[in-house]
Amino acid sequence: QVQLVESGGGVVQPGRSLRLSCAASGFTFSSFGMHWVRQAPGRGLEWVAVIWYDGSNKYYAESVKGRFTIARDNSKNTLYLQMNSLRAEDTALYYCARDVGATDIGGDYWGQGTLVTVSS
Amino acid sequence: NFMLTQPHSVSESPGKTVTISCTRSSGSIASNYVQWYQQRPGSSPTTMIYEDNQRPSGVPDRFSGSIDSSSNSASLTISGLKTEDEADYYCQSYDSGNRWVFGAGTKLTVL
C-alpha cells in the first residue's frame, strides 16, 4: 500500500535552516508528481511546492519562493524540502502528498505530517 | 490568480444529504480539475474526490463530486450522512502557474 512518511521537523530559530524528508513506498515513486503542503495551527491547508515526476519542473508558493527548495531522489524514493531563512510564519505541520498524475493536478495520498516550529 | 470560496460551515442530520459548494472567483471552473479532501480533527487530509468526480478506491459512493459551469462552482455531495463524516472539507484546484489553490475549508457538523 502507498505510504508517505515525513521526517525532519523540529524547533528552529528564525533565520535558520531545516530539511524535511518524505520517504515513499508502495508505488513507483518516479512516475508521480510530489507536493509539500503545510497547515499552521488552527488554520487551513496551504500549498507550498511541487516537483514533477522526473524533477524537471518545480513550482513554489509566493510565500516561500527564494527561501525553500523542493527536490527528489528517485533512486531513494525520497522527497525533500530544504527550508532556509525560516520565519515565525513558517510554523506549521508539513505534509507531503502524491499527485494523482505525473505533474501537479491534485493529491491522492498524504503523509502524516512533520511539525516545524520557528521560535527564538 | 483565482480564489476558491467555500461556506465556513454546514450542518445536517444523520441519514440526510448535504452539499458543500466551492466557487471559483475568476476563470472557468471547468478549466482545471477540482479535488476534495476530508480532514478529521488531529488527522491528515484524505482525498475523497479527484479530477472533479472520481472517487479513489475505498471512498464510499455516498461521496460524489460535480462541477456547474453556470455557477462556476464545484460541489461535494454526501448522502446518507454518518457521524463519522463530521470533518473539515477542502476543495482544491490549480492555476496557470501550476500552483495548487485551496478553499478555506468547510466544517461539516452531523447532528
Side-chain angles (χ1 to χ4, degrees):
Chain A
Q1 73 281 20
V2 173
Q3 275 201 305
L4 300 171
V5 179
E6 302 93 336
S7 61
V11 180
V12 62
Q13 293 179 328
R16 304 298 290 264
S17 299
L18 206 59
R19 189 177 84 154
L20 306 183
S21 299
C22 171
S25 60
F27 66 100
T28 304
F29 183 69
S30 58
S31 295
F32 291 88
M34 295 295 297
H35 301 256
W36 287 100
V37 175
R38 67 185 182 183
Q39 187 170 35
R43 306 296 296 272
L45 301 174
E46 180 189 14
W47 177 79
V48 174
V50 61
I51 184 167
W52 284 15
Y53 69 107
D54 59 355
S56 61
N57 286 288
K58 307 172 186 180
Y59 302 96
Y60 299 90
E62 288 297 324
S63 58
V64 306
K65 193 179 291 185
R67 299 187 300 122
F68 290 11
T69 301
I70 190 170
R72 65 191 297 158
D73 186 335
N74 285 346
S75 68
K76 295 183 178 179
N77 292 343
T78 303
L79 174 72
Y80 303 100
L81 185 67
Q82 177 67 43
M83 304 186 296
N84 298 333
S85 303
L86 282 161
R87 306 167 179 167
E89 54 265 36
D90 296 318
T91 293
L93 187 58
Y94 284 73
Y95 297 104
C96 67
R98 190 185 83 166
D99 199 272
V100 297
T103 58
D104 46 39
I105 293 174
D108 60 359
Y109 287 94
W110 298 69
Q112 85 290 346
T114 186
L115 182 62
V116 173
T117 302
V118 183
S119 172
S120 54
Chain B
N1 214 339
F2 62 88
M3 295 173 53
L4 297 173
T5 300
Q6 301 180 234
H8 179 70
S9 63
V10 296
S11 62
E12 190 50 271
S13 303
K16 299 291 190 178
T17 296
V18 70
T19 297
I20 300 172
S21 62
C22 171
T23 302
R24 178 166 168 160
S25 62
S26 61
S28 172
I29 192 70
S31 297
N32 309 90
Y33 286 124
V34 175
Q35 282 62 235
W36 288 93
Y37 307 110
Q38 176 194 71
Q39 188 177 35
R40 295 188 175 115
S43 296
S44 307
T46 301
T47 303
M48 307 308 285
I49 297 289
Y50 68 96
E51 293 179 354
D52 296 341
N53 54 19
Q54 301 300 302
R55 265 189 318 275
S57 60
V59 172
D61 60 6
R62 301 186 296 107
F63 291 83
S64 63
S66 63
I67 61 168
D68 180 358
S69 295
S70 65
S71 59
N72 212 35
S73 64
S75 294
L76 173 69
T77 299
I78 311 170
S79 60
L81 273 170
K82 301 183 177 184
T83 55
E84 68 205 47
D85 298 331
E86 193 162 284
D88 293 327
Y89 290 84
Y90 296 89
C91 61
Q92 171 263 316
S93 190
Y94 49 97
D95 66 15
S96 56
N98 303 87
R99 296 170 294 224
W100 282 5
V101 177
F102 283 103
T106 298
K107 182 178 179 60
L108 170 63
T109 302
V110 182
L111 38 64

